[in-house]
Amino acid sequence: MVEAYILLTSAIGKVREVYDKIEKLEDVENVRIVTGPFDLIVLAEAEDLSTLTNTVVEGIRETDGVLDTNTAIVVE
């Protein structure tokens, strides 16, 4: 298993909408709306790196309202 924390920036006024869409993605384990330089933090867990990459690139980044992502893969 591969885990990653994805830090998201969303469009103004779209945080709740982005949250609702992202929490439904298959490999997403947890989503939190936060304060600070990012709007949401997502914990994703996938079978392998390729699947995780697809979740981030084709799932999260393609979600309407997502402006930017920063992915931190868990190594230990």
Side-chain angles (χ1 to χ4, degrees):
M1 287 298 217
V2 179
E3 288 183 322
Y5 288 94
I6 302 105
L7 308 166
L8 301 177
T9 304
S10 71
I12 294 173
K14 296 272 189 173
V15 174
R16 177 60 63 187
E17 182 180 324
V18 169
Y19 174 93
D20 291 340
K21 290 178 182 176
I22 297 238
E23 76 170 345
K24 295 176 185 171
L25 295 175
E26 184 175 341
D27 294 320
V28 170
E29 297 297 316
N30 200 339
V31 183
R32 295 287 191 234
I33 297 173
V34 297
T35 61
F38 300 99
D39 300 308
L40 299 107
I41 297 177
V42 177
L43 173 60
E45 185 178 288
E47 194 65 34
D48 53 42
L49 187 55
S50 177
T51 304
L52 178 66
T53 300
N54 286 339
T55 297
V56 174
V57 173
E58 296 173 6
I60 294 172
R61 289 190 62 86
E62 293 296 318
T63 300
D64 184 45
V66 172
L67 299 179
D68 192 33
T69 62
N70 189 332
T71 302
I73 297 172
V74 175
V75 294
E76 192 172 314

Short mmCIF file of all heavy atoms in Angstrom, two decimals:
data_model
loop_
_atom_site.label_atom_id
_atom_site.label_comp_id
_atom_site.label_asym_id
_atom_site.label_seq_id
_atom_site.Cartn_x
_atom_site.Cartn_y
_atom_site.Cartn_z
N MET A 1 0.83 -1.19 0.00
CA MET A 1 0.00 0.00 0.00
C MET A 1 0.87 1.25 0.00
O MET A 1 1.92 1.28 0.63
CB MET A 1 -0.88 0.04 1.24
CG MET A 1 -2.02 -0.93 1.23
SD MET A 1 -3.13 -0.61 -0.11
CE MET A 1 -4.66 -0.96 0.62
N VAL A 2 0.37 2.26 -0.69
CA VAL A 2 1.04 3.55 -0.75
C VAL A 2 0.07 4.59 -0.22
O VAL A 2 -1.09 4.64 -0.62
CB VAL A 2 1.44 3.91 -2.20
CG1 VAL A 2 2.11 5.26 -2.26
CG2 VAL A 2 2.33 2.83 -2.79
N GLU A 3 0.56 5.42 0.72
CA GLU A 3 -0.26 6.49 1.28
C GLU A 3 0.34 7.83 0.90
O GLU A 3 1.55 7.96 0.75
CB GLU A 3 -0.28 6.43 2.81
CG GLU A 3 -1.09 5.32 3.39
CD GLU A 3 -1.10 5.40 4.91
OE1 GLU A 3 -0.06 5.75 5.51
OE2 GLU A 3 -2.15 5.12 5.48
N ALA A 4 -0.54 8.83 0.78
CA ALA A 4 -0.07 10.18 0.50
C ALA A 4 -1.04 11.18 1.10
O ALA A 4 -2.25 10.92 1.19
CB ALA A 4 0.05 10.42 -0.99
N TYR A 5 -0.49 12.31 1.50
CA TYR A 5 -1.29 13.45 1.90
C TYR A 5 -1.26 14.43 0.74
O TYR A 5 -0.18 14.77 0.24
CB TYR A 5 -0.74 14.11 3.17
CG TYR A 5 -0.98 13.26 4.39
CD1 TYR A 5 -0.01 12.37 4.84
CD2 TYR A 5 -2.18 13.34 5.09
CE1 TYR A 5 -0.24 11.57 5.94
CE2 TYR A 5 -2.41 12.55 6.20
CZ TYR A 5 -1.43 11.67 6.62
OH TYR A 5 -1.65 10.88 7.72
N ILE A 6 -2.42 14.87 0.30
CA ILE A 6 -2.51 15.80 -0.81
C ILE A 6 -3.08 17.10 -0.25
O ILE A 6 -4.18 17.13 0.31
CB ILE A 6 -3.39 15.26 -1.95
CG1 ILE A 6 -2.82 13.93 -2.46
CG2 ILE A 6 -3.44 16.26 -3.10
CD1 ILE A 6 -3.60 12.75 -2.03
N LEU A 7 -2.31 18.17 -0.38
CA LEU A 7 -2.71 19.50 0.09
C LEU A 7 -3.32 20.23 -1.10
O LEU A 7 -2.68 20.36 -2.15
CB LEU A 7 -1.49 20.24 0.62
CG LEU A 7 -0.67 19.45 1.65
CD1 LEU A 7 0.68 20.09 1.88
CD2 LEU A 7 -1.43 19.31 2.94
N LEU A 8 -4.55 20.69 -0.93
CA LEU A 8 -5.30 21.28 -2.05
C LEU A 8 -5.57 22.76 -1.84
O LEU A 8 -5.89 23.19 -0.73
CB LEU A 8 -6.66 20.61 -2.20
CG LEU A 8 -6.74 19.14 -2.45
CD1 LEU A 8 -8.19 18.71 -2.49
CD2 LEU A 8 -6.07 18.80 -3.74
N THR A 9 -5.54 23.48 -2.94
CA THR A 9 -6.03 24.85 -2.98
C THR A 9 -7.25 24.83 -3.89
O THR A 9 -7.19 24.30 -5.00
CB THR A 9 -4.97 25.81 -3.55
OG1 THR A 9 -3.78 25.69 -2.77
CG2 THR A 9 -5.45 27.25 -3.53
N SER A 10 -8.34 25.40 -3.41
CA SER A 10 -9.56 25.41 -4.22
C SER A 10 -9.92 26.83 -4.62
O SER A 10 -9.41 27.80 -4.06
CB SER A 10 -10.73 24.79 -3.45
OG SER A 10 -11.14 25.63 -2.41
N ALA A 11 -10.80 26.93 -5.59
CA ALA A 11 -11.30 28.23 -6.03
C ALA A 11 -12.12 28.85 -4.90
O ALA A 11 -12.72 28.14 -4.08
CB ALA A 11 -12.15 28.07 -7.28
N ILE A 12 -12.17 30.15 -4.87
CA ILE A 12 -12.94 30.87 -3.85
C ILE A 12 -14.40 30.44 -3.94
O ILE A 12 -14.99 30.42 -5.02
CB ILE A 12 -12.79 32.39 -4.03
CG1 ILE A 12 -11.34 32.80 -3.75
CG2 ILE A 12 -13.75 33.15 -3.11
CD1 ILE A 12 -11.02 34.23 -4.06
N GLY A 13 -14.95 30.09 -2.79
CA GLY A 13 -16.34 29.70 -2.73
C GLY A 13 -16.63 28.27 -3.14
O GLY A 13 -17.78 27.84 -3.19
N LYS A 14 -15.58 27.47 -3.45
CA LYS A 14 -15.78 26.10 -3.93
C LYS A 14 -15.30 25.03 -2.94
O LYS A 14 -15.32 23.85 -3.26
CB LYS A 14 -15.02 25.90 -5.25
CG LYS A 14 -15.49 26.74 -6.39
CD LYS A 14 -16.60 26.04 -7.11
CE LYS A 14 -16.95 26.78 -8.38
NZ LYS A 14 -17.89 26.05 -9.17
N VAL A 15 -14.88 25.43 -1.75
CA VAL A 15 -14.29 24.47 -0.82
C VAL A 15 -15.24 23.33 -0.50
O VAL A 15 -14.88 22.16 -0.59
CB VAL A 15 -13.81 25.16 0.48
CG1 VAL A 15 -13.33 24.15 1.50
CG2 VAL A 15 -12.71 26.16 0.17
N ARG A 16 -16.46 23.63 -0.12
CA ARG A 16 -17.42 22.59 0.26
C ARG A 16 -17.75 21.70 -0.94
O ARG A 16 -17.84 20.48 -0.81
CB ARG A 16 -18.69 23.23 0.81
CG ARG A 16 -19.79 22.27 1.17
CD ARG A 16 -19.43 21.26 2.21
NE ARG A 16 -19.13 21.89 3.48
CZ ARG A 16 -18.66 21.24 4.53
NH1 ARG A 16 -18.45 19.95 4.48
NH2 ARG A 16 -18.38 21.87 5.64
N GLU A 17 -17.90 22.27 -2.11
CA GLU A 17 -18.19 21.50 -3.33
C GLU A 17 -17.03 20.56 -3.66
O GLU A 17 -17.24 19.38 -3.99
CB GLU A 17 -18.42 22.47 -4.49
CG GLU A 17 -18.78 21.81 -5.79
CD GLU A 17 -19.01 22.83 -6.89
OE1 GLU A 17 -19.54 23.93 -6.62
OE2 GLU A 17 -18.63 22.53 -8.04
N VAL A 18 -15.80 21.05 -3.55
CA VAL A 18 -14.63 20.22 -3.80
C VAL A 18 -14.57 19.09 -2.77
O VAL A 18 -14.34 17.94 -3.11
CB VAL A 18 -13.33 21.07 -3.78
CG1 VAL A 18 -12.09 20.18 -3.76
CG2 VAL A 18 -13.30 22.01 -4.97
N TYR A 19 -14.81 19.42 -1.51
CA TYR A 19 -14.82 18.42 -0.45
C TYR A 19 -15.80 17.30 -0.78
O TYR A 19 -15.47 16.12 -0.68
CB TYR A 19 -15.20 19.10 0.87
CG TYR A 19 -15.39 18.14 2.02
CD1 TYR A 19 -14.34 17.85 2.89
CD2 TYR A 19 -16.62 17.53 2.26
CE1 TYR A 19 -14.50 16.98 3.95
CE2 TYR A 19 -16.79 16.66 3.31
CZ TYR A 19 -15.73 16.38 4.15
OH TYR A 19 -15.91 15.51 5.20
N ASP A 20 -17.02 17.66 -1.14
CA ASP A 20 -18.06 16.67 -1.43
C ASP A 20 -17.67 15.74 -2.57
O ASP A 20 -17.96 14.54 -2.53
CB ASP A 20 -19.38 17.36 -1.74
CG ASP A 20 -20.00 18.04 -0.52
OD1 ASP A 20 -19.64 17.68 0.62
OD2 ASP A 20 -20.84 18.94 -0.72
N LYS A 21 -17.01 16.27 -3.59
CA LYS A 21 -16.61 15.46 -4.74
C LYS A 21 -15.41 14.56 -4.42
O LYS A 21 -15.38 13.40 -4.79
CB LYS A 21 -16.28 16.35 -5.93
CG LYS A 21 -17.50 17.03 -6.51
CD LYS A 21 -17.12 17.94 -7.64
CE LYS A 21 -18.34 18.66 -8.19
NZ LYS A 21 -17.98 19.62 -9.24
N ILE A 22 -14.43 15.11 -3.71
CA ILE A 22 -13.20 14.37 -3.45
C ILE A 22 -13.43 13.23 -2.46
O ILE A 22 -12.85 12.16 -2.61
CB ILE A 22 -12.12 15.34 -2.93
CG1 ILE A 22 -11.82 16.35 -4.01
CG2 ILE A 22 -10.89 14.59 -2.42
CD1 ILE A 22 -10.47 16.49 -4.51
N GLU A 23 -14.29 13.44 -1.48
CA GLU A 23 -14.50 12.38 -0.49
C GLU A 23 -15.14 11.13 -1.11
O GLU A 23 -15.06 10.06 -0.52
CB GLU A 23 -15.32 12.88 0.69
CG GLU A 23 -16.79 13.04 0.42
CD GLU A 23 -17.60 13.30 1.68
OE1 GLU A 23 -17.09 13.08 2.79
OE2 GLU A 23 -18.76 13.71 1.52
N LYS A 24 -15.70 11.24 -2.29
CA LYS A 24 -16.33 10.10 -2.96
C LYS A 24 -15.37 9.30 -3.83
O LYS A 24 -15.72 8.23 -4.31
CB LYS A 24 -17.50 10.59 -3.82
CG LYS A 24 -18.62 11.19 -3.00
CD LYS A 24 -19.70 11.76 -3.87
CE LYS A 24 -20.75 12.45 -3.00
NZ LYS A 24 -21.70 13.20 -3.79
N LEU A 25 -14.15 9.79 -4.04
CA LEU A 25 -13.18 9.08 -4.87
C LEU A 25 -12.73 7.80 -4.18
O LEU A 25 -12.57 7.75 -2.95
CB LEU A 25 -11.98 9.97 -5.17
CG LEU A 25 -12.26 11.20 -6.02
CD1 LEU A 25 -11.01 12.06 -6.15
CD2 LEU A 25 -12.79 10.82 -7.40
N GLU A 26 -12.51 6.76 -4.97
CA GLU A 26 -12.26 5.42 -4.45
C GLU A 26 -11.09 5.31 -3.48
O GLU A 26 -11.20 4.68 -2.44
CB GLU A 26 -12.04 4.46 -5.62
CG GLU A 26 -11.86 3.03 -5.19
CD GLU A 26 -11.77 2.08 -6.35
OE1 GLU A 26 -12.18 2.42 -7.46
OE2 GLU A 26 -11.25 0.98 -6.13
N ASP A 27 -9.95 5.89 -3.79
CA ASP A 27 -8.76 5.72 -2.96
C ASP A 27 -8.60 6.79 -1.89
O ASP A 27 -7.58 6.83 -1.20
CB ASP A 27 -7.50 5.66 -3.85
CG ASP A 27 -7.50 4.42 -4.73
OD1 ASP A 27 -7.89 3.35 -4.23
OD2 ASP A 27 -7.14 4.53 -5.91
N VAL A 28 -9.58 7.65 -1.74
CA VAL A 28 -9.52 8.71 -0.74
C VAL A 28 -10.03 8.15 0.59
O VAL A 28 -11.15 7.66 0.68
CB VAL A 28 -10.33 9.94 -1.18
CG1 VAL A 28 -10.48 10.93 -0.04
CG2 VAL A 28 -9.66 10.60 -2.37
N GLU A 29 -9.18 8.21 1.60
CA GLU A 29 -9.52 7.70 2.93
C GLU A 29 -10.12 8.76 3.83
O GLU A 29 -10.96 8.46 4.67
CB GLU A 29 -8.27 7.11 3.60
CG GLU A 29 -7.69 5.92 2.88
CD GLU A 29 -8.64 4.74 2.85
OE1 GLU A 29 -9.26 4.44 3.88
OE2 GLU A 29 -8.76 4.13 1.77
N ASN A 30 -9.66 10.02 3.69
CA ASN A 30 -10.09 11.08 4.58
C ASN A 30 -9.89 12.43 3.91
O ASN A 30 -8.92 12.61 3.18
CB ASN A 30 -9.27 11.01 5.87
CG ASN A 30 -9.92 11.71 7.03
OD1 ASN A 30 -10.77 12.56 6.85
ND2 ASN A 30 -9.51 11.35 8.23
N VAL A 31 -10.79 13.35 4.15
CA VAL A 31 -10.67 14.72 3.64
C VAL A 31 -10.99 15.66 4.79
O VAL A 31 -11.96 15.44 5.52
CB VAL A 31 -11.66 14.99 2.48
CG1 VAL A 31 -11.45 16.39 1.93
CG2 VAL A 31 -11.54 13.96 1.39
N ARG A 32 -10.20 16.69 4.94
CA ARG A 32 -10.44 17.71 5.97
C ARG A 32 -10.32 19.10 5.35
O ARG A 32 -9.41 19.37 4.56
CB ARG A 32 -9.41 17.60 7.10
CG ARG A 32 -9.49 16.32 7.89
CD ARG A 32 -10.72 16.35 8.77
NE ARG A 32 -10.68 15.25 9.71
CZ ARG A 32 -11.66 14.38 9.84
NH1 ARG A 32 -12.72 14.47 9.10
NH2 ARG A 32 -11.57 13.42 10.72
N ILE A 33 -11.24 19.96 5.72
CA ILE A 33 -11.15 21.38 5.36
C ILE A 33 -10.31 22.03 6.46
O ILE A 33 -10.59 21.83 7.65
CB ILE A 33 -12.55 22.01 5.27
CG1 ILE A 33 -13.35 21.34 4.13
CG2 ILE A 33 -12.44 23.52 5.05
CD1 ILE A 33 -14.81 21.76 4.07
N VAL A 34 -9.30 22.79 6.06
CA VAL A 34 -8.35 23.36 7.02
C VAL A 34 -8.15 24.86 6.77
O VAL A 34 -8.55 25.39 5.73
CB VAL A 34 -6.99 22.63 6.95
CG1 VAL A 34 -7.14 21.18 7.34
CG2 VAL A 34 -6.36 22.75 5.57
N THR A 35 -7.50 25.50 7.71
CA THR A 35 -7.10 26.89 7.56
C THR A 35 -5.63 26.94 7.18
O THR A 35 -4.92 25.94 7.29
CB THR A 35 -7.33 27.69 8.85
OG1 THR A 35 -6.51 27.11 9.88
CG2 THR A 35 -8.78 27.64 9.29
N GLY A 36 -5.18 28.09 6.74
CA GLY A 36 -3.77 28.25 6.39
C GLY A 36 -3.60 28.38 4.88
O GLY A 36 -4.53 28.75 4.17
N PRO A 37 -2.42 28.03 4.38
CA PRO A 37 -2.13 28.24 2.96
C PRO A 37 -2.89 27.27 2.04
O PRO A 37 -2.96 27.50 0.84
CB PRO A 37 -0.63 28.02 2.85
CG PRO A 37 -0.27 27.18 4.03
CD PRO A 37 -1.25 27.55 5.11
N PHE A 38 -3.45 26.19 2.58
CA PHE A 38 -4.22 25.23 1.79
C PHE A 38 -5.65 25.21 2.30
O PHE A 38 -5.92 25.61 3.43
CB PHE A 38 -3.60 23.83 1.89
CG PHE A 38 -2.19 23.78 1.38
CD1 PHE A 38 -1.13 23.82 2.26
CD2 PHE A 38 -1.93 23.73 0.02
CE1 PHE A 38 0.18 23.80 1.80
CE2 PHE A 38 -0.63 23.71 -0.46
CZ PHE A 38 0.43 23.75 0.43
N ASP A 39 -6.55 24.74 1.47
CA ASP A 39 -7.97 24.70 1.83
C ASP A 39 -8.42 23.33 2.31
O ASP A 39 -9.32 23.23 3.15
CB ASP A 39 -8.83 25.13 0.64
CG ASP A 39 -8.50 26.54 0.20
OD1 ASP A 39 -8.51 27.45 1.05
OD2 ASP A 39 -8.23 26.75 -1.01
N LEU A 40 -7.82 22.29 1.76
CA LEU A 40 -8.18 20.92 2.15
C LEU A 40 -6.93 20.06 2.24
O LEU A 40 -5.96 20.29 1.50
CB LEU A 40 -9.12 20.29 1.12
CG LEU A 40 -10.46 20.96 0.88
CD1 LEU A 40 -10.45 21.67 -0.45
CD2 LEU A 40 -11.56 19.94 0.94
N ILE A 41 -7.00 19.06 3.10
CA ILE A 41 -5.96 18.04 3.17
C ILE A 41 -6.64 16.69 2.96
O ILE A 41 -7.64 16.39 3.61
CB ILE A 41 -5.19 18.06 4.50
CG1 ILE A 41 -4.46 19.38 4.68
CG2 ILE A 41 -4.21 16.89 4.57
CD1 ILE A 41 -3.74 19.53 5.99
N VAL A 42 -6.09 15.91 2.03
CA VAL A 42 -6.67 14.62 1.67
C VAL A 42 -5.67 13.52 2.01
O VAL A 42 -4.48 13.65 1.71
CB VAL A 42 -6.96 14.57 0.15
CG1 VAL A 42 -7.49 13.21 -0.26
CG2 VAL A 42 -7.92 15.68 -0.25
N LEU A 43 -6.15 12.46 2.64
CA LEU A 43 -5.34 11.26 2.83
C LEU A 43 -5.82 10.24 1.82
O LEU A 43 -7.00 9.87 1.80
CB LEU A 43 -5.49 10.71 4.25
CG LEU A 43 -4.82 9.36 4.51
CD1 LEU A 43 -3.31 9.43 4.27
CD2 LEU A 43 -5.12 8.87 5.91
N ALA A 44 -4.91 9.82 0.95
CA ALA A 44 -5.23 8.81 -0.07
C ALA A 44 -4.39 7.57 0.19
O ALA A 44 -3.24 7.67 0.60
CB ALA A 44 -4.97 9.35 -1.46
N GLU A 45 -4.99 6.42 -0.06
CA GLU A 45 -4.28 5.15 0.10
C GLU A 45 -4.61 4.29 -1.11
O GLU A 45 -5.78 4.05 -1.41
CB GLU A 45 -4.74 4.46 1.38
CG GLU A 45 -3.98 3.21 1.69
CD GLU A 45 -4.43 2.60 3.00
OE1 GLU A 45 -4.13 3.17 4.06
OE2 GLU A 45 -5.11 1.56 2.94
N ALA A 46 -3.57 3.83 -1.80
CA ALA A 46 -3.76 3.04 -3.00
C ALA A 46 -2.89 1.79 -2.97
O ALA A 46 -1.93 1.70 -2.20
CB ALA A 46 -3.42 3.88 -4.23
N GLU A 47 -3.23 0.86 -3.81
CA GLU A 47 -2.52 -0.42 -3.88
C GLU A 47 -1.06 -0.23 -4.30
O GLU A 47 -0.17 -0.92 -3.82
CB GLU A 47 -3.23 -1.35 -4.87
CG GLU A 47 -2.79 -2.78 -4.79
CD GLU A 47 -3.14 -3.43 -3.46
OE1 GLU A 47 -4.17 -3.11 -2.86
OE2 GLU A 47 -2.32 -4.26 -3.01
N ASP A 48 -0.80 0.71 -5.22
CA ASP A 48 0.56 0.95 -5.70
C ASP A 48 0.70 2.40 -6.15
O ASP A 48 -0.28 3.14 -6.18
CB ASP A 48 0.91 -0.02 -6.85
CG ASP A 48 -0.10 0.00 -7.97
OD1 ASP A 48 -0.57 1.09 -8.35
OD2 ASP A 48 -0.43 -1.09 -8.47
N LEU A 49 1.91 2.79 -6.50
CA LEU A 49 2.19 4.17 -6.88
C LEU A 49 1.44 4.59 -8.14
O LEU A 49 0.96 5.71 -8.24
CB LEU A 49 3.70 4.38 -7.06
CG LEU A 49 4.17 5.82 -7.29
CD1 LEU A 49 3.70 6.75 -6.18
CD2 LEU A 49 5.67 5.86 -7.43
N SER A 50 1.32 3.69 -9.08
CA SER A 50 0.59 4.00 -10.32
C SER A 50 -0.87 4.34 -10.04
O SER A 50 -1.42 5.31 -10.58
CB SER A 50 0.69 2.81 -11.28
OG SER A 50 -0.06 3.06 -12.44
N THR A 51 -1.50 3.56 -9.19
CA THR A 51 -2.89 3.80 -8.83
C THR A 51 -3.03 5.12 -8.07
O THR A 51 -3.96 5.89 -8.32
CB THR A 51 -3.45 2.64 -7.99
OG1 THR A 51 -3.27 1.43 -8.73
CG2 THR A 51 -4.92 2.83 -7.68
N LEU A 52 -2.10 5.38 -7.17
CA LEU A 52 -2.11 6.64 -6.43
C LEU A 52 -1.96 7.82 -7.39
O LEU A 52 -2.67 8.82 -7.29
CB LEU A 52 -1.00 6.66 -5.38
CG LEU A 52 -0.89 7.95 -4.58
CD1 LEU A 52 -2.11 8.17 -3.71
CD2 LEU A 52 0.36 7.93 -3.74
N THR A 53 -1.05 7.70 -8.33
CA THR A 53 -0.85 8.75 -9.33
C THR A 53 -2.13 9.03 -10.10
O THR A 53 -2.50 10.18 -10.32
CB THR A 53 0.30 8.38 -10.29
OG1 THR A 53 1.49 8.20 -9.53
CG2 THR A 53 0.51 9.45 -11.33
N ASN A 54 -2.83 7.98 -10.50
CA ASN A 54 -4.09 8.15 -11.22
C ASN A 54 -5.13 8.85 -10.36
O ASN A 54 -5.88 9.70 -10.85
CB ASN A 54 -4.64 6.79 -11.69
CG ASN A 54 -3.87 6.24 -12.85
OD1 ASN A 54 -3.19 6.96 -13.58
ND2 ASN A 54 -3.95 4.94 -13.04
N THR A 55 -5.17 8.51 -9.09
CA THR A 55 -6.11 9.15 -8.18
C THR A 55 -5.84 10.65 -8.11
O THR A 55 -6.77 11.46 -8.17
CB THR A 55 -6.03 8.53 -6.77
OG1 THR A 55 -6.41 7.16 -6.85
CG2 THR A 55 -6.92 9.26 -5.78
N VAL A 56 -4.57 11.01 -8.00
CA VAL A 56 -4.21 12.43 -7.89
C VAL A 56 -4.43 13.15 -9.22
O VAL A 56 -5.10 14.19 -9.27
CB VAL A 56 -2.75 12.60 -7.41
CG1 VAL A 56 -2.34 14.07 -7.45
CG2 VAL A 56 -2.58 12.03 -6.01
N VAL A 57 -3.89 12.60 -10.29
CA VAL A 57 -3.91 13.30 -11.58
C VAL A 57 -5.29 13.29 -12.24
O VAL A 57 -5.79 14.31 -12.69
CB VAL A 57 -2.85 12.70 -12.53
CG1 VAL A 57 -2.95 13.30 -13.92
CG2 VAL A 57 -1.46 12.92 -11.97
N GLU A 58 -5.92 12.12 -12.28
CA GLU A 58 -7.19 11.99 -13.00
C GLU A 58 -8.41 12.19 -12.11
O GLU A 58 -9.49 12.47 -12.60
CB GLU A 58 -7.26 10.63 -13.68
CG GLU A 58 -6.20 10.47 -14.75
CD GLU A 58 -6.15 9.06 -15.33
OE1 GLU A 58 -7.03 8.23 -14.98
OE2 GLU A 58 -5.24 8.79 -16.11
N GLY A 59 -8.24 12.02 -10.81
CA GLY A 59 -9.36 12.19 -9.89
C GLY A 59 -9.37 13.55 -9.23
O GLY A 59 -10.23 14.39 -9.49
N ILE A 60 -8.37 13.80 -8.41
CA ILE A 60 -8.35 15.02 -7.61
C ILE A 60 -8.08 16.26 -8.47
O ILE A 60 -8.83 17.23 -8.41
CB ILE A 60 -7.32 14.90 -6.47
CG1 ILE A 60 -7.78 13.81 -5.49
CG2 ILE A 60 -7.10 16.23 -5.77
CD1 ILE A 60 -6.79 13.45 -4.42
N ARG A 61 -7.02 16.23 -9.28
CA ARG A 61 -6.67 17.43 -10.06
C ARG A 61 -7.71 17.79 -11.11
O ARG A 61 -7.82 18.94 -11.50
CB ARG A 61 -5.29 17.27 -10.70
CG ARG A 61 -4.16 17.32 -9.68
CD ARG A 61 -2.80 17.40 -10.32
NE ARG A 61 -2.62 18.58 -11.12
CZ ARG A 61 -2.21 19.78 -10.67
NH1 ARG A 61 -1.96 19.93 -9.40
NH2 ARG A 61 -2.05 20.79 -11.48
N GLU A 62 -8.47 16.82 -11.57
CA GLU A 62 -9.51 17.07 -12.58
C GLU A 62 -10.84 17.53 -11.96
O GLU A 62 -11.77 17.85 -12.68
CB GLU A 62 -9.73 15.82 -13.43
CG GLU A 62 -8.55 15.46 -14.31
CD GLU A 62 -8.25 16.51 -15.36
OE1 GLU A 62 -9.20 17.05 -15.98
OE2 GLU A 62 -7.06 16.81 -15.57
N THR A 63 -10.91 17.55 -10.64
CA THR A 63 -12.14 17.97 -9.97
C THR A 63 -12.34 19.46 -10.17
O THR A 63 -11.44 20.26 -9.93
CB THR A 63 -12.06 17.65 -8.46
OG1 THR A 63 -11.90 16.24 -8.30
CG2 THR A 63 -13.30 18.11 -7.72
N ASP A 64 -13.54 19.83 -10.61
CA ASP A 64 -13.87 21.23 -10.82
C ASP A 64 -13.72 21.99 -9.50
O ASP A 64 -14.25 21.56 -8.47
CB ASP A 64 -15.31 21.36 -11.33
CG ASP A 64 -15.67 22.79 -11.65
OD1 ASP A 64 -14.86 23.49 -12.28
OD2 ASP A 64 -16.77 23.22 -11.25
N GLY A 65 -12.98 23.08 -9.53
CA GLY A 65 -12.76 23.89 -8.33
C GLY A 65 -11.39 23.70 -7.70
O GLY A 65 -10.98 24.49 -6.87
N VAL A 66 -10.66 22.64 -8.10
CA VAL A 66 -9.31 22.42 -7.59
C VAL A 66 -8.35 23.26 -8.42
O VAL A 66 -8.27 23.11 -9.64
CB VAL A 66 -8.91 20.93 -7.64
CG1 VAL A 66 -7.44 20.76 -7.28
CG2 VAL A 66 -9.78 20.11 -6.70
N LEU A 67 -7.62 24.14 -7.76
CA LEU A 67 -6.67 25.01 -8.46
C LEU A 67 -5.26 24.45 -8.45
O LEU A 67 -4.52 24.60 -9.41
CB LEU A 67 -6.67 26.40 -7.83
CG LEU A 67 -7.98 27.17 -7.87
CD1 LEU A 67 -7.80 28.53 -7.18
CD2 LEU A 67 -8.46 27.35 -9.30
N ASP A 68 -4.87 23.82 -7.31
CA ASP A 68 -3.50 23.36 -7.18
C ASP A 68 -3.45 22.24 -6.16
O ASP A 68 -4.26 22.17 -5.24
CB ASP A 68 -2.60 24.52 -6.72
CG ASP A 68 -1.12 24.20 -6.83
OD1 ASP A 68 -0.73 23.46 -7.75
OD2 ASP A 68 -0.36 24.68 -5.98
N THR A 69 -2.46 21.34 -6.34
CA THR A 69 -2.24 20.27 -5.36
C THR A 69 -0.76 20.19 -5.04
O THR A 69 0.08 20.58 -5.84
CB THR A 69 -2.70 18.89 -5.88
OG1 THR A 69 -1.94 18.54 -7.03
CG2 THR A 69 -4.17 18.89 -6.21
N ASN A 70 -0.47 19.69 -3.86
CA ASN A 70 0.89 19.40 -3.43
C ASN A 70 0.84 18.06 -2.72
O ASN A 70 0.20 17.94 -1.68
CB ASN A 70 1.36 20.53 -2.49
CG ASN A 70 2.82 20.42 -2.17
OD1 ASN A 70 3.40 19.34 -2.17
ND2 ASN A 70 3.42 21.56 -1.87
N THR A 71 1.47 17.05 -3.31
CA THR A 71 1.37 15.68 -2.81
C THR A 71 2.62 15.29 -2.03
O THR A 71 3.72 15.45 -2.51
CB THR A 71 1.16 14.69 -3.98
OG1 THR A 71 -0.02 15.07 -4.68
CG2 THR A 71 1.02 13.27 -3.48
N ALA A 72 2.40 14.75 -0.82
CA ALA A 72 3.48 14.24 0.01
C ALA A 72 3.23 12.76 0.23
O ALA A 72 2.29 12.37 0.92
CB ALA A 72 3.52 14.97 1.35
N ILE A 73 4.08 11.92 -0.38
CA ILE A 73 3.96 10.46 -0.24
C ILE A 73 4.56 10.04 1.09
O ILE A 73 5.66 10.45 1.43
CB ILE A 73 4.63 9.75 -1.43
CG1 ILE A 73 3.91 10.12 -2.72
CG2 ILE A 73 4.64 8.24 -1.22
CD1 ILE A 73 4.57 9.63 -3.98
N VAL A 74 3.83 9.23 1.83
CA VAL A 74 4.30 8.74 3.11
C VAL A 74 5.40 7.70 2.88
O VAL A 74 5.21 6.75 2.11
CB VAL A 74 3.14 8.12 3.93
CG1 VAL A 74 3.65 7.50 5.22
CG2 VAL A 74 2.07 9.16 4.19
N VAL A 75 6.56 7.88 3.51
CA VAL A 75 7.69 6.95 3.33
C VAL A 75 7.94 6.08 4.56
O VAL A 75 8.64 5.08 4.48
CB VAL A 75 8.99 7.69 2.93
CG1 VAL A 75 8.83 8.32 1.57
CG2 VAL A 75 9.38 8.71 3.97
N GLU A 76 7.39 6.48 5.69
CA GLU A 76 7.60 5.67 6.90
C GLU A 76 6.46 5.90 7.88
O GLU A 76 5.93 6.97 8.01
CB GLU A 76 8.93 6.05 7.55
CG GLU A 76 9.35 5.10 8.61
CD GLU A 76 10.76 5.41 9.10
OE1 GLU A 76 11.66 5.62 8.26
OE2 GLU A 76 10.96 5.42 10.31
#
